[in-house]
Amino acid sequence: MLLESAEIEAVLLSLRVAVTATTASLPVAVAVAWCLARLRFPGRALLDAVVHMPLVMPPVVIGYLLLVVLGTRGPVGGWLYETFGLRLIFTTEGAAVAAAVMGFPLMVRAIRQALEAVDPGLEFAARTLGAGRFDVFRSVTLPLMLPGILAGAIVAFAAALGEFGATITFVGNVDGETRTLPLAIYTATQSPDGDAVAARLVTISFALALGGLVLAEAVSLRVRRLLGAA
Amino acid sequence: MIEVRLRLRRGAFDLDVAFASEGRLVALFGRSGAGKTTIVQAIAGAARPDAGLVRVDGTVLLDTTGGIDVPVERRGIGVVFQDARLFPHMTVAGNLRFGLDRARGRSLGIGFDAVVDLLGIGRLLDRRPHALSGGERQRVALGRALLAQPRLLLMDEPLAALDGARKAEILPYVERLRDELAVPIVYVSHALEEVVRLATDVVLLAEGRVLAAGPLATVLSGADLAPIVGGLDIGTVLDCTVVRARDAHGLATLRFADGDLRVPALDLADGARVRARIPARDVALALSRPMDVSIANRLPGAVGAVVPVGDAMAKVAVDLGSTRLWALVTREAVERLALAPGVRVWAMVKAVALDGRSFGLSRPG
């Protein structure tokens, strides 16, 4: 199967967007999951609701909200543009932001579940052995959460590869900048002679998903073995 | 020297305890709900009492009136939990080094190799906790706590999750720690055999209060342990030396301050020091020297006290020189024999009543 350069570009762009979205949001997701699981503070329920918003709202609505807030005339987007010259709309960075926001609840849920499964007794044992709170997190909590963090990252990565609604609404469908796989498929289906292109891209999507799944299973098995659970 | 004073109220539970001990191993002895766990948590720093003081060898770790509450990680209290709590993502060696790397300048001179040697865990170092038996896990947990160079070792029912054979496997190691290291140990238990075997001092706890505290033989001898062990259980604790571990009849001879005891043969060397607990219900009394009875141990003495127990029974203290031996008899027998302070009696102890579980090795030499 031969691919045209535009199609290869869409695949590579998708991977880049997904990798950027996942790696950038991972530390934030760990921090948010920790706050939600371990802290009791006013506004916790609100934070929980905000985090889950992309899961329960139409992606187009999220894309629109992102446009309002992060567009060059939005409160945050305007500041970013004026201070750093960073423009998100119609750019790959913007596509990554859209993918990150959409995948964020999935990531937080997986990580939070893993965190809640960590035995607080082990953390207390670490403290009696002289470890301060951050040390306990770094040397005990985090390693024990690793399977959940991996699972969260994989799910979010997969979601980022498939993100469509928020992306097209927020950053448009710019060839080479924001036209990821799903957008390329959509574009192909919109043109009269695009059926063959669409079929090829769909096949690639399928292969990517399958490959990711197998890889994820292998990694998580290895980590579980390392933790002595398997 | 460890000093603990705690007051705490949580709903219906009310704890008010105070004790101090210079013993090498002080046992907190009580049934569940007596407040043992709360005391452990307060000493370790996991729970803050309404008012209290915790001081170990002069270092104040908690003093609510002085506003001192040293955080857990700075207390230097090595805790051995009932469920071991080894870190599953580390090897045994990694677990052992965890505390050693975080000793915060404290040093007891307890080195890695010495601990590995003391606990016999050398061949486990590369294993992961899930590949260990329950007894091995507990030994590693002990080593990990020790290597953090603690001021105090707090053992919270460390044997409760183990079966009989595993318990027997761990006990000698606890004895070695008690006898060979300079770390005081607080040992929490609801098992009388463990306490008799291990403790130098004991704090009896029931319903959030201290019933008695002090050296083991003093506290346990004659004390009614019903609030702790559930049923009626009175006994006498004697420190003995093995005169002969096994004779032609398969019996051992133990010598205590005021006489000898014959018991089923022990797996010990001659000259070893053991502690025996003689249940009061296994001691019978006679007014004259019993000749034609099967009972092996016949000890002459004088009644020191008669204390009623419940409706039908009485505990009778028999003074054998400096030793006070307790017998549990019916009140009917007290009347029939006219037992009263000063009356000369013979105390009879069945040899078979004292099996291996009644004994604990005490400090050598």
Side-chain angles (χ1 to χ4, degrees):
Chain A
M1 183 169 66
L2 286 171
L3 294 176
E4 289 171 19
S5 70
E7 294 163 18
I8 294 174
E9 195 169 48
V11 172
L12 292 178
L13 182 68
S14 276
L15 288 172
R16 212 168 81 220
V17 165
V19 167
T20 311
T22 308
T23 49
S25 57
L26 197 56
V28 186
V30 172
V32 168
W34 192 84
C35 290
L36 288 175
R38 290 291 165 85
L39 295 185
R40 294 285 169 272
F41 56 94
R44 183 170 151 270
L46 185 71
L47 178 65
D48 204 9
V50 169
V51 165
H52 278 89
M53 232 165 47
L55 211 58
V56 293
M57 295 233 282
V60 179
V61 174
I62 299 298
Y64 174 76
L65 289 176
L66 287 175
L67 194 58
V68 169
V69 177
L70 296 176
T72 38
R73 272 171 298 179
V76 179
W79 175 78
L80 281 176
Y81 187 57
E82 275 156 36
T83 316
F84 303 104
L86 182 66
R87 193 171 58 109
L88 291 176
I89 48 168
F90 306 125
T91 65
T92 310
E93 290 75 30
V97 168
V101 167
M102 291 305 292
F104 199 67
L106 300 170
M107 203 184 241
V108 169
R109 282 171 79 89
I111 294 172
R112 184 175 169 181
Q113 243 170 29
L115 184 56
E116 280 165 352
V118 172
D119 177 7
L122 287 176
E123 296 175 309
F124 181 69
R127 287 191 71 201
T128 66
L129 293 165
R133 285 176 192 279
F134 183 73
D135 187 6
V136 169
F137 180 76
R138 192 184 54 83
S139 52
V140 175
T141 318
L142 202 58
L144 292 177
M145 286 165 64
L146 213 53
I149 292 180
L150 268 172
I154 287 162
V155 164
F157 186 81
L161 278 181
E163 217 303 305
F164 178 79
T167 309
I168 202 164
T169 314
F170 177 37
V171 292
N173 187 1
V174 183
D175 192 11
E177 275 289 342
T178 70
R179 186 172 294 164
T180 55
L181 258 175
L183 271 67
I185 294 170
Y186 169 76
T187 309
T189 58
Q190 296 302 301
S191 81
D193 51 356
D195 282 355
V197 177
R200 286 204 295 273
L201 290 173
V202 166
T203 311
I204 293 169
S205 289
F206 194 70
L208 274 178
L210 206 65
L213 220 61
V214 170
L215 186 74
E217 197 49 48
V219 170
S220 102
L221 192 71
R222 206 195 166 95
V223 169
R224 279 210 305 274
R225 217 167 256 164
L226 216 66
L227 293 181
Chain B
M1 175 79 174
I2 158 162
E3 292 167 77
V4 175
R5 281 205 308 271
L6 302 169
R7 247 193 11 247
L8 175 138
R9 231 195 152 95
R10 294 282 182 277
F13 182 67
D14 176 29
L15 181 84
D16 189 350
V17 296
F19 59 88
S21 167
E22 289 201 72
R24 292 184 312 281
L25 191 148
V26 52
L28 302 186
F29 182 37
R31 62 201 305 187
S32 47
K36 304 192 299 289
T37 306
T38 312
I39 296 173
V40 165
Q41 287 178 339
I43 294 176
R48 202 194 149 110
D50 302 332
L53 171 89
V54 174
R55 183 156 47 192
V56 178
D57 288 332
T59 308
V60 176
L61 300 176
L62 173 80
D63 182 357
T64 45
T65 53
I68 298 171
D69 184 4
V70 179
V72 177
E73 61 269 27
R74 296 187 180 277
R75 288 202 176 192
I77 291 184
V79 186
V80 180
F81 304 91
Q82 185 180 331
D83 51 349
R85 300 195 192 176
L86 299 180
F87 304 126
H89 59 298
M90 298 179 193
T91 60
V92 166
N95 270 280
L96 291 173
R97 288 219 170 80
F98 191 93
L100 189 62
D101 295 342
R102 294 167 173 81
R104 294 173 184 263
R106 285 185 313 272
S107 178
L108 301 166
I110 305 176
F112 188 87
D113 295 335
V115 164
V116 167
D117 214 40
L118 184 75
L119 296 168
I121 48 181
R123 63 186 178 82
L124 309 177
L125 291 177
D126 296 328
R127 296 224 208 132
R128 298 237 168 215
H130 67 93
L132 305 178
S133 73
E136 287 169 340
R137 258 177 234 169
Q138 226 31 311
R139 264 146 70 195
V140 174
L142 254 175
R144 183 179 68 171
L146 276 178
L147 283 170
Q149 317 289 316
R151 299 175 217 282
L152 174 79
L153 199 57
L154 193 55
M155 304 181 72
D156 188 6
E157 305 253 6
L159 306 185
L162 304 177
D163 60 35
R166 298 285 172 222
K167 280 188 178 123
E169 171 196 329
I170 303 289
L171 281 166
Y173 292 106
V174 180
E175 286 170 338
R176 289 185 74 180
L177 299 187
R178 178 194 66 192
D179 299 334
E180 294 175 25
L181 300 177
V183 191
I185 301 173
V186 171
Y187 189 98
V188 177
S189 180
H190 66 266
L192 184 58
E193 316 90 75
E194 286 170 34
V195 172
V196 169
R197 176 149 175 190
L198 298 172
T200 57
D201 293 61
V202 64
V203 177
L204 295 189
L205 293 166
E207 286 165 19
R209 299 287 185 277
V210 173
L211 296 182
L216 180 101
T218 317
V219 171
L220 284 194
S221 290
D224 184 355
L225 299 178
I228 294 165
V229 295
L232 184 64
D233 197 342
I234 299 168
T236 307
V237 177
L238 297 178
D239 284 312
C240 311
T241 310
V242 178
V243 177
R244 207 163 160 202
R246 178 183 292 274
D247 63 17
H249 304 290
L251 292 176
T253 305
L254 307 181
R255 181 153 297 158
F256 65 99
D258 299 289
D260 287 357
L261 281 176
R262 301 243 285 160
V263 303
L266 296 171
D267 198 9
L268 291 169
D270 292 353
R273 300 183 46 157
V274 297
R275 187 180 269 157
R277 181 173 186 273
I278 303 174
R281 65 176 54 174
D282 290 319
V283 180
L285 299 177
L287 289 177
S288 57
R289 180 178 191 139
M291 300 306 289
D292 49 358
V293 294
S294 66
I295 292 171
N297 299 295
R298 287 156 288 183
L299 303 159
V303 172
V306 179
V307 184
V309 177
D311 291 338
M313 286 173 286
K315 57 177 181 178
V316 178
V318 179
D319 292 325
L320 320 163
S322 63
T323 307
R324 178 162 266 206
L325 181 69
W326 290 89
L328 188 65
V329 297
T330 59
R331 285 213 218 157
E332 188 272 328
V334 171
E335 282 169 28
R336 188 156 40 84
L337 303 184
L339 297 176
V343 174
R344 307 289 310 173
V345 291
W346 287 79
M348 297 178 285
V349 184
K350 290 190 74 167
V352 292
L354 305 174
D355 61 11
R357 279 177 314 176
S358 317
F359 299 102
L361 268 174
S362 60
R363 190 183 179 194

